[in-house]
Amino acid sequence: MSPLANLPMIRLLVAKDWDLFQRQLAAYVGAGILALALIGSAKPWTFYLGSLLLLVVLVAAACFAISTSLLTERKERTLGFVMSLPVTPLDFYLAKIAGNLVTFGVPFVVLVGGTAGVILSTPVPDGLLVWSLLVFGHVLLAHAVSLSVAMAVESEGWNTFAMIASMVLVNPFIMMLGQIPAIAGPMRGEAIVWSAEAIAILSTQVLLSAAVIGFTGWVHCRKRAFY
Amino acid sequence: MPPAHGAPDDARRVPHRPGDAMHDPSRMHHMDNLRALAMLAGVLFHAALAYSPLMQPFFPTADRSNAAAVDAVIWFLHLFRMPVFFVVAGYFAARMVQRRGFGAMFRDRMLRILLPFVLFMPLVLWALSASTLHAASTVAHPSPVLQWVAQFAAMDDAPPSPPSTAHLWFLYYLMLFYVLAWVVDTLGGARIGAFLRGLHPAGLLVALPLLLAPALAMVSAPHPAPESPLPQWWALQFFGAFFALGWLLQGHDAWFARLRPVLPWLVPASLALHALFLHQLSLHPPGPANPAATWSLALLQAFTSVWMTLACVAGARLLLAWRTPLLRYLADASYWIYLAHLPVLFVVQYRLMDLDWHWGWKLSASIAATLAACLASYELLVRRTPLRRLVGGAATSPSVRG
């Protein structure tokens, strides 16, 4: 059965995830708006508090979406029920990707846009935009890796490790950015400088994210059964 | 229609002629009329800013001819005009959610709020910018802002002006409040709403202003318009409270009956508070020396806002629950007037700046010309065209009016 032929079932699986997630997603969206409002106040302490809250919201949304949509589903034997439905492993994969696009992708895009708006429309130096996008790029890559691991590996331990390790790596990543003069230098200035280093890092993050998700999809395409 | 849906009693008594929106029993006439009057008040407010001594350093169309009496009137209006709009918006949003759910409400608001915001904001910003730049180079008696614009335009390396939503900030905040309404509802906000509705209205008349005063103390007095594309904390708190109030009161007519004993006192009490506000404002005028309102100014603004907004909404139920073709027409045209009036007003007032007229004549002429242009363009561009579905009045679908 082609994935398109089973679109109604994929839609139902996404709707199921939406029903399960919407309370938590509502909390993340509310916290995201609060974070943007704090950043928008353009005072040093509200800016730092808002930025921190924004990062916490993003990481929490990323981990929560994976944990609830895949890991808890396995634990509570919901997957057994899903397997009894007329769905192929690819349908299941597409439903999970679509579900995560909503639960993580929508807040992610809104928060990236909001952060860019904050930087460009407040006294915060515009040079911070490149650095911020690179940090968002890391969160995107970490989410893609965690999602793929969760889809491919059943072990809860490995999944927890993948999520925590990939997200915590944001700290050394931020430190690493601080060590690159072409990125750290223009951060406090008004000019938005897209250095070769910054372009290379961002391209790698986006391409790796797409490759990891694509590879997981390819593996699922070849599966004839769920296990 | 059951009373729980919030239809006024008179609407159920009047026979409905099929196909005649004027006699549609689901129509909330007092809310339509209130919206039309609030829109007219908006045109008056924006037009009068040019003749306000307080706004001379800040408003592009500030005129040589001005009067302190203008300040006394418009800053009173300012404190409840937009809150009334937010109460009406919250009321209709709750009504649609109650009838058709959040999904339908979001779909409708994407079409009626987000799409017009995205489509018209570039046009409005371009029109305001073009007329201001033209005026800066042609007006013989420019305002301080126009003088600054002329100097700015002459600079070779002038930085771009900060992004703004202009007067369309209202649409932007509405979208935020629709999302936040879903957040609060999903997290079990209905229980809090039921608790708040159970309180006596007199408690709300005291508690709500006290809750809103800290938000108003964060910004200058009179409070500015939150035109930045970023959500402003004070505006979320202040205007969000009025949106929530409209949401909570939808379908709860009994609450207004409980408010009725204090209703006659709200307007005179608010006028007295406003007199105090003007006195305090003369001691702490807005400017670099007073970037934020004093606590007394914030409290006076908060009490006047809440009391006058409730007086308008409750008063409309008593005094405006009837149908009139003129107000119905203005209510239908109000969205278009809201979108179009400021660019038109700027063009008109820039033309008036060099005339040696009394401010009263200039104010009357600018209001008349702006309304005439807006209504003519409504007839030509909106009322009988597909644009009506986006920015026209309640037409064919009940979803349009919530």
Side-chain angles (χ1 to χ4, degrees):
Chain A
M1 189 185 289
S2 81
L4 283 180
N6 219 358
L7 207 56
M9 190 53 71
I10 294 173
R11 203 175 290 152
L12 277 177
L13 287 173
V14 174
K16 173 191 75 69
D17 281 352
W18 169 255
D19 265 359
L20 291 173
F21 297 157
Q22 61 173 320
R23 275 180 72 87
Q24 288 80 359
L25 186 63
Y28 292 138
V29 170
I33 292 176
L34 171 67
L36 287 176
L38 281 172
I39 294 171
S41 298
K43 290 174 183 148
W45 72 270
T46 58
F47 177 77
Y48 287 116
L49 189 64
S51 308
L52 186 66
L53 182 59
L54 200 64
L55 203 58
V56 169
V57 166
L58 264 181
V59 171
C63 293
F64 169 79
I66 295 166
S67 154
T68 314
S69 74
L70 286 154
L71 305 183
T72 311
E73 197 166 72
R74 278 188 199 136
K75 235 166 135 179
E76 293 177 354
R77 313 265 178 214
T78 317
L79 185 61
F81 166 72
V82 172
M83 285 163 65
S84 72
L85 299 171
V87 289
T88 63
L90 182 62
D91 294 333
F92 179 75
Y93 164 80
L94 289 175
K96 289 301 167 192
I97 291 292
N100 273 275
L101 272 181
V102 174
T103 50
F104 172 73
V106 173
F108 181 79
V109 169
V110 170
L111 295 181
V112 170
T115 306
V118 169
I119 292 169
L120 298 176
S121 68
T122 62
V124 173
D126 288 2
L128 203 59
L129 182 70
V130 175
W131 181 88
S132 304
L133 290 179
L134 293 175
V135 174
F136 277 115
H138 177 86
V139 176
L140 176 72
L141 177 60
H143 179 257
V145 169
S146 304
L147 179 62
S148 295
V149 171
M151 304 235 357
V153 179
E154 283 174 48
S155 157
E156 195 180 342
W158 277 113
N159 274 296
T160 307
F161 175 77
M163 274 194 285
I164 292 176
S166 61
M167 292 299 175
V168 167
L169 278 175
V170 76
N171 275 321
F173 178 71
I174 287 172
M175 283 177 67
M176 185 197 83
L177 293 181
Q179 302 301 312
I180 303 173
I183 295 171
M187 232 168 74
R188 294 184 188 280
E190 281 304 321
I192 299 169
V193 181
W194 279 106
S195 60
E197 290 89 335
I199 292 171
I201 293 174
L202 192 62
S203 312
T204 308
Q205 288 168 333
V206 173
L207 290 174
L208 260 182
S209 302
V212 166
I213 295 286
F215 177 73
T216 314
W218 179 74
V219 171
H220 276 262
C221 265
R222 293 163 58 87
K223 275 188 175 179
R224 289 184 175 275
F226 278 83
Y227 295 107
Chain B
M1 184 185 298
H5 284 180
D9 291 345
D10 68 317
R12 294 196 298 277
R13 285 199 298 269
V14 180
H16 176 216
R17 280 185 250 155
D20 182 355
M22 268 289 288
H23 295 84
D24 182 348
S26 66
R27 191 99 195 182
M28 312 285 295
H29 294 289
H30 64 286
M31 284 295 197
D32 282 343
N33 293 337
L34 184 62
R35 189 175 50 182
L37 293 176
M39 187 63 249
L40 292 177
V43 177
L44 167 69
F45 173 76
H46 283 138
L49 286 176
Y51 313 105
S52 146
L54 201 68
M55 288 301 283
Q56 283 296 302
F58 312 110
F59 204 62
T61 63
D63 202 281
R64 289 168 295 155
S65 176
N66 54 60
V70 174
D71 276 334
V73 174
I74 64 170
W75 298 120
F76 184 60
L77 203 58
H78 176 60
L79 290 175
F80 59 90
R81 185 180 64 85
M82 291 312 294
V84 163
F85 272 123
F86 278 107
V87 169
V88 172
Y91 188 96
F92 280 123
R95 197 166 182 239
M96 177 171 265
V97 168
Q98 190 180 48
R99 289 174 167 188
R100 299 174 59 199
F102 270 101
M105 191 271 282
F106 277 122
R107 279 191 294 278
D108 182 77
R109 267 39 180 186
M110 296 278 261
L111 186 73
R112 295 273 298 174
I113 306 291
L114 185 62
L115 190 58
F117 176 73
V118 172
L119 287 178
F120 287 98
M121 199 174 70
L123 290 174
V124 165
L125 292 177
W126 172 82
L128 291 174
S129 168
S131 63
T132 301
L133 283 172
H134 181 260
S137 61
T138 55
V139 170
H141 299 93
S143 63
V145 173
L146 275 188
Q147 291 174 32
W148 178 82
V149 169
Q151 289 171 6
F152 197 73
M155 289 164 64
D156 289 333
D157 55 347
S161 50
S164 164
T165 55
H167 65 298
L168 304 191
W169 65 266
F170 174 64
L171 302 183
Y172 175 66
Y173 275 81
L174 276 186
M175 287 308 300
L176 283 176
F177 292 149
Y178 294 140
V179 174
L180 286 173
W182 167 74
V183 168
V184 173
D185 186 78
T186 307
L187 296 177
R191 285 196 299 273
I192 302 168
F195 167 76
L196 290 175
R197 269 194 305 270
L199 300 176
H200 193 275
L204 186 83
L205 289 173
V206 177
L208 189 56
L210 293 177
L211 283 172
L212 296 184
L216 293 172
M218 293 171 76
V219 286
S220 59
H223 70 76
E227 292 177 356
S228 159
L230 278 168
Q232 302 290 295
W233 177 245
W234 75 268
L236 285 177
Q237 199 180 333
F238 180 67
F239 294 115
F242 289 104
F243 182 89
L245 185 66
W247 185 286
L248 287 177
L249 296 183
Q250 193 282 130
H252 296 275
D253 295 5
W255 193 90
F256 288 99
R258 294 165 70 199
L259 182 70
R260 210 161 167 176
V262 290
L263 192 56
W265 299 99
L266 289 180
V267 177
S270 300
L271 284 168
L273 290 181
H274 186 61
L276 273 174
F277 170 77
L278 291 174
H279 171 68
Q280 286 286 309
L281 196 63
S282 66
L283 302 177
H284 309 280
N290 296 303
T294 60
W295 278 98
S296 57
L297 279 170
L299 276 166
L300 288 166
Q301 286 185 97
F303 272 97
T304 309
S305 283
V306 172
W307 290 4
M308 277 308 298
T309 302
L310 282 171
C312 287
V313 177
R317 298 173 67 85
L318 298 173
L319 305 172
L320 297 176
W322 33 258
R323 300 155 186 158
T324 155
L326 176 65
L327 278 179
R328 167 63 207 279
Y329 182 85
L330 287 174
D332 285 352
S334 62
Y335 196 175
W336 176 253
I337 297 175
Y338 159 71
L339 290 170
H341 80 280
L342 206 59
V344 175
L345 183 70
F346 269 35
V347 170
V348 173
Q349 290 193 324
Y350 286 137
R351 306 280 294 182
L352 294 172
M353 281 175 94
D354 287 337
L355 300 180
D356 290 324
W357 292 6
H358 184 264
W359 66 266
W361 287 113
K362 288 186 176 181
L363 176 62
S364 307
S366 56
I367 292 174
T370 301
L371 279 178
C374 289
L375 291 173
S377 56
Y378 173 70
E379 276 295 322
L380 289 171
L381 303 174
V382 179
R383 196 170 175 217
R384 293 179 182 82
T385 72
L387 261 186
R388 178 177 179 167
R389 196 166 148 67
L390 284 187
V391 296
T396 50
S397 159
S399 70
V400 169
R401 56 182 181 267

